[in-house]
């Protein structure tokens, strides 16, 4: 019986088979740094699972991902960002509060290489958060089972940032972003700057809580960067509130602090 149990545990999900107890292992959470979003998610993103953050361009998905990554590094986590399109701006990441000394930036040559890189990072362990930023996640559709298993074994959270959700049942959480209002500064004879956007975040899928909840996230861009330099990738998540609850109280305001430091040696391909 012990041999059979070990075999079944090895070919199944780690920890799914447990002799002598019926109590499941508590699922850990990775806080997002946004109190109301953490409340809606039951404490944050699930550890050891795939979470998807989907939205059309200019909805603030990269800004929200940066805010989540910043919260992770502030908590002492080491994180990785897989970026096949070379879209991440180090200055914007630092302005969003990401501690660059705790960031491994991987820039694969293709989407398939990006999926492979994410699998290697998850399998290596030691990363509290791995961000996979891809615009064509269906190109790596065959890799979802391997990514799910690797994340579960090492208890790392995989956050997939893409145009649309594509992991299907392999994702424990699916968030969808939709822009509500874009804010611009400036006027006649003045430089027009992107101030930020208000985006609607919907919990479209959740295997760990209640789907269907919606929040409004206010994102404010760094004042010294214009849209042509980095666009909404520079966004800092400043506030979040439940839809329909009116103004945000002082206790709910969130202002990620920029953490500046020397850039680490980045990977340029896998």
């Amino acid at each position: 019986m012990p041999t059979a149990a070990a075999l079944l545990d090895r070919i199944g999900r780690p920890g799914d088979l447990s002799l002598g107890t019926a109590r499941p292992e508590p699922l850990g959470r990775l806080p997002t740094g946004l109190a109301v979003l953490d409340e809606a998610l039951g404490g944050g993103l699930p550890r050891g699972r795939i979470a998807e953050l989907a939205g059309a361009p200019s909805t603030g998905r990269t800004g929200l991902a940066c805010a989540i990554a910043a919260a992770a590094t502030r908590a002492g986590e080491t994180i990785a960002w897989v970026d096949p399109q070379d879209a991440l701006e180090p200055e914007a990441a630092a302005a969003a509060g990401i501690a660059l000394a705790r960031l491994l930036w991987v820039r694969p040559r293709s989407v398939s290489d990006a999926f492979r890189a994410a699998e290697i990072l998850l399998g290596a362990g030691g990363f509290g958060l791995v961000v996979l930023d891809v615009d064509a996640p269906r190109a790596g559709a065959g890799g979802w089972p391997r990514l799910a298993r690797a994340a579960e074994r090492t208890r790392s959270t995989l956050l997939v940032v893409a145009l649309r959700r594509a992991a299907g049942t392999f994702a424990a959480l699916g968030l969808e972003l939709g822009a509500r209002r874009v804010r611009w500064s400036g006027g006649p004879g003045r430089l027009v700057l992107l101030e930020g956007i208000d985006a609607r975040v919907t919990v479209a899928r959740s295997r760990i809580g209640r789907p269907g909840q919606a929040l409004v996230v206010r994102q404010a861009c760094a004042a010294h960067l214009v849209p042509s330099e980095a666009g909404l990738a520079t966004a800092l998540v400043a506030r979040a509130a439940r839809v329909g609850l009116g103004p945000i109280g002082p206790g709910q305001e969130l202002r990620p602090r920029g953490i500046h430091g020397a850039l680490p040696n980045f990977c340029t391909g896998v």
Side-chain angles (χ1 to χ4, degrees):
M1 183 65 178
T3 302
L7 176 61
L8 291 172
D9 191 57
R10 190 163 63 248
I11 65 176
R13 291 184 174 181
D16 275 6
L17 180 65
S18 180
L19 298 179
T21 177
R23 290 182 297 180
E25 181 182 349
L27 183 65
R29 305 289 178 147
L30 179 73
T32 67
L34 297 171
V36 290
L37 183 55
D38 285 339
E39 181 184 350
L41 300 179
L45 303 182
R47 291 187 183 271
R49 300 290 190 273
I50 296 175
E52 293 183 285
L53 177 59
S58 300
T59 54
R61 57 184 181 175
T62 305
L64 182 54
C66 281
I68 294 171
T73 59
R74 284 198 302 273
E77 302 276 5
T78 300
I79 70 171
W81 194 294
V82 182
D83 183 21
Q85 308 216 10
D86 201 11
L88 185 67
E89 294 280 344
E91 288 186 2
I98 298 176
L100 297 182
R102 294 186 175 275
L103 168 68
L104 176 65
W105 184 20
V106 184
R107 294 178 285 180
R109 300 179 182 86
S110 66
V111 172
S112 60
D113 284 344
F115 271 75
R116 179 58 179 152
E119 185 180 351
I120 291 172
L121 292 166
L122 291 169
F127 293 97
L129 174 68
V130 175
V131 179
L132 175 58
D133 190 354
V134 289
D135 276 344
R138 293 189 184 278
W144 293 120
R146 295 193 302 273
L147 291 176
R149 286 194 295 268
E152 196 163 18
R153 286 194 180 97
T154 58
R155 313 306 297 169
S156 298
T157 297
L158 175 62
L159 178 62
V160 182
V161 182
L163 289 171
R164 59 190 61 85
R165 294 186 295 117
T169 58
F170 294 103
L173 177 68
L175 302 177
E176 293 184 352
L177 271 168
R180 292 169 56 90
R181 186 168 67 93
V182 179
R183 302 189 307 278
W184 301 88
S185 66
R190 296 173 57 194
L191 180 65
V192 176
L193 295 175
L194 178 64
E195 285 189 337
I197 65 170
D198 293 343
R200 180 187 181 94
V201 182
T202 303
V203 183
R205 171 182 172 79
S206 179
R207 292 169 53 189
I208 55 173
R210 182 166 59 88
Q213 299 183 76
L215 313 169
V216 170
V217 175
R218 172 160 293 178
Q219 305 194 36
C221 290
H224 66 285
L225 294 175
V226 297
S228 61
E229 288 181 303
L232 286 172
T234 69
L236 308 177
V237 174
R239 306 187 188 186
R242 291 188 183 282
V243 172
L245 290 188
I248 302 162
Q252 292 177 289
E253 189 164 358
L254 300 165
R255 298 183 180 277
R257 296 172 297 178
I259 302 177
H260 299 270
L263 296 180
N265 294 322
F266 297 133
C267 296
T268 56
V270 175

